[in-house]
Amino acid sequence: QVTFENLDRAMFKAFESHLVRGEKGMLNVTAAKQISTLKTLINYARKDYKILVNPDYQDYTVSRGDSGFEVITLTKDELDVLYTLDLTNNPRLDRVRDVFVFSCATGLRYSDVKQLRREHLRGDVIKLTIAKTGQAQEVPLNEYSAAILEKYKGAKKVLPIGSNQPLNRYLKELGQLAGIDTPIEIVRFKGVERVISTHPKFELISMHTGRKTFTTLSLEMGMAAHEGMAI
């Protein structure tokens, strides 16, 4: 029987083994997420309900064997191809493209693009409170972001942004249409076994790619690192 008191290192090790075992077992990065979620639950029980727990859980970590993610960004050429792609006959992907390019041009997360309102637009800058951190932020507009805002200036919403999950799905469709298909090798671990797979880049694009693209291209174009970090 599993109890809070017997969740020691041996129990955690058995749980990890259960997660990664077998042909359909989880990769280390996924197992690590499950372990982290369990530790969060135990923390909650200990702190909020004063339940007696085994202290061993705090030191237990899963060896991922990798970073758990790849930094997927668009090159300047890929961004320009996407930006100039003729989507006249596909208004759905046209809207998705505009939202994504706006993220690439501003570094804003999905949650901040989603919360954007007219009052946040102050001339050639965006001023808003970041949803994730609660910090006041000022983001300069550039030719991409300013043009996209101008395109929707008469619309009810600042940008035509939908739910995150369908948006990420449509982005892959958009990337394929734009020919963003450079092969990307992904290396993961299942226990000590290396699991290697190769994917065209469009399969790996998500809204968070916009933020990473902003950072990468800003540095390539000469922006000081501390300025990029501030944005």
Side-chain angles (χ1 to χ4, degrees):
Q1 183 181 10
V2 178
T3 69
F4 284 107
E5 292 185 40
N6 72 9
L7 277 170
D8 55 11
R9 287 189 63 83
M11 183 70 79
F12 266 89
K13 187 65 180 176
F15 182 46
E16 179 189 350
S17 177
H18 164 74
L19 293 176
V20 302
R21 190 170 51 237
E23 183 179 343
K24 296 184 178 180
M26 296 177 180
L27 297 172
N28 288 10
V29 63
T30 309
K33 175 61 178 175
Q34 300 299 319
I35 295 289
S36 175
T37 302
L38 178 57
K39 290 172 73 172
T40 299
L41 171 64
I42 298 172
N43 271 327
Y44 184 67
R46 179 176 62 86
K47 293 179 180 179
D48 289 55
Y49 284 90
K50 310 303 179 187
I51 293 174
L52 185 63
V53 302
N54 192 309
D56 281 3
Y57 81 95
Q58 294 175 313
D59 298 326
Y60 191 85
T61 58
V62 176
S63 175
R64 299 178 181 216
D66 56 18
S67 64
F69 64 91
E70 281 65 36
V71 179
I72 305 299
T73 71
L74 299 191
T75 65
K76 180 65 163 58
D77 287 344
E78 289 170 336
L79 180 61
D80 285 337
V81 167
L82 199 60
Y83 183 62
T84 58
L85 188 64
D86 184 3
L87 295 170
T88 306
N89 297 322
N90 196 328
R92 171 176 59 87
L93 290 186
D94 185 52
R95 293 190 294 270
V96 169
R97 182 262 308 277
D98 290 343
V99 168
F100 178 69
V101 171
F102 187 83
S103 177
C104 291
T106 61
L108 290 176
R109 297 178 181 87
Y110 168 82
S111 56
D112 295 313
V113 178
K114 181 82 170 177
Q115 69 157 329
L116 201 59
R117 300 192 300 275
R118 301 287 175 196
E119 54 264 38
H120 294 142
L121 309 179
R122 311 284 183 85
D124 60 353
V125 299
I126 299 170
K127 293 185 177 181
L128 78 168
T129 300
I130 299 300
K132 183 175 181 179
T133 64
Q135 294 180 325
Q137 188 67 286
E138 187 171 304
V139 179
L141 297 175
N142 59 25
E143 59 178 305
Y144 296 94
S145 51
I148 291 169
L149 289 175
E150 178 69 18
K151 179 177 178 178
Y152 295 99
K153 67 178 182 179
K156 184 177 180 180
K157 296 168 64 175
V158 176
L159 290 172
I161 186 168
S163 300
N164 198 18
Q165 190 171 355
L167 186 59
N168 284 331
R169 188 169 66 249
Y170 298 152
L171 276 174
K172 293 167 176 53
E173 182 182 346
L174 178 65
Q176 184 176 19
L177 189 63
I180 302 174
D181 54 7
T182 303
I184 305 292
E185 184 180 85
I186 305 294
V187 179
R188 293 286 185 268
F189 283 80
K190 183 190 290 187
V192 297
E193 176 192 356
R194 294 175 86 239
V195 180
I196 302 174
S197 59
T198 302
H199 306 265
K201 185 186 277 191
F202 68 80
E203 288 186 356
L204 306 174
I205 295 174
S206 69
M207 268 300 289
H208 200 59
T209 305
R211 185 170 171 80
K212 295 175 181 178
T213 297
F214 169 82
T215 304
T216 303
L217 296 186
S218 294
L219 292 174
E220 286 181 1
M221 293 177 184
M223 180 183 285
H226 70 275
E227 292 176 345
M229 290 175 67
I231 295 173

